[in-house]
Amino acid sequence: MTTAAYVRNVEGFGTVSVRPIDPDRDAELLHGWVNEERSRFWGMVGTTVEQVRDIYAHLDSLTTHHGFLVSRDDEPVALLQTYDPAADRVSECYEVLPGDVGAHFLIAPNAAPQPGFTGSLLSVLVGFTLRDHTRIVVEPDFGNEKAIARMVRAGFELGPEIVLPEVDLPEVFIPEKKARLAFLTRR
């Protein structure tokens, strides 16, 4: 069992824990999430369980990129990835500042959505991500208006539209992506 990296009790919401992804144990769960049409902007629709395991095993091997499984009251509810923007393709699109951290959030499918759920969860994830950093940078797909609006509601300031360059390495292929930068600075 992987130990939680962060635990926070939110009154009226529950206990949120953030733990590193275990590629072997979590691949099947994550595969189900990233292969839903609603997750198309995550870029993994059509992957197999083995491909998902390999992607997160590769991520786990890096010192600059990290994957986390987020649970509320021991129920998995989200996927969080953090990364050093200076070691990522986003560094070609904006001036990385000391203390910057990149983040990707994917909320798990929920058959019975609860009002305020995403905002409460995002607040905890922001707290976790800003523990050792001063600013979060996100780059949702330009066409993902829902994610961009969610970032604005969470206090992120919109930055420019960018085009993230293609990454074609033996371990991973990531296609070019038109995105919208957004930033949240610790206050």
Side-chain angles (χ1 to χ4, degrees):
M1 176 71 67
T2 307
T3 304
Y6 185 79
V7 177
R8 184 167 149 204
N9 184 36
V10 180
E11 190 172 330
F13 184 70
T15 301
V16 178
S17 61
V18 181
R19 69 158 174 83
I21 289 173
D22 177 327
D24 292 321
R25 188 173 89 198
D26 299 327
E28 190 169 334
L29 172 70
L30 298 177
H31 173 263
W33 294 356
V34 302
N35 271 279
E36 289 205 356
E37 173 57 25
R38 64 181 286 285
S39 303
R40 69 189 173 283
F41 295 112
W42 201 254
M44 294 174 65
V45 171
T47 56
T48 65
V49 171
E50 186 61 27
Q51 287 170 318
V52 170
R53 192 209 69 76
D54 290 349
I55 288 166
Y56 285 99
H58 172 70
L59 194 71
D60 192 43
S61 75
L62 303 174
T63 60
T64 56
H65 293 63
H66 308 284
F68 299 96
L69 186 67
V70 182
S71 296
R72 179 178 83 162
D73 297 331
D74 298 321
E75 182 70 30
V77 294
L79 171 58
L80 169 66
Q81 291 177 201
T82 62
Y83 61 92
D84 176 356
D88 192 85
R89 65 186 179 158
V90 74
S91 67
E92 297 180 34
C93 302
Y94 89 103
E95 183 181 349
V96 177
L97 300 177
D100 279 1
V101 61
H104 301 287
F105 307 96
L106 177 66
I107 306 300
N110 187 341
Q114 301 169 345
F117 176 86
T118 301
S120 295
L121 187 62
L122 189 55
S123 175
V124 174
L125 298 181
V126 164
F128 168 71
T129 305
L130 285 176
R131 289 177 314 162
D132 302 319
H133 299 90
T134 54
R135 185 171 73 158
I136 299 172
V137 59
V138 295
E139 20 84 12
D141 189 284
F142 184 75
N144 192 345
E145 295 172 6
K146 188 174 179 179
I148 293 168
R150 166 51 64 198
M151 295 298 108
V152 170
R153 285 193 308 276
F156 283 74
E157 293 181 30
L158 292 179
E161 293 177 26
I162 60 169
V163 177
L164 293 164
E166 175 182 289
V167 174
D168 192 3
L169 301 171
E171 305 85 13
V172 65
F173 172 78
I174 306 170
E176 181 179 274
K177 172 180 145 180
K178 187 175 180 184
R180 179 72 183 260
L181 287 176
F183 302 91
L184 181 68
T185 302
R186 181 172 39 180
R187 298 188 186 352

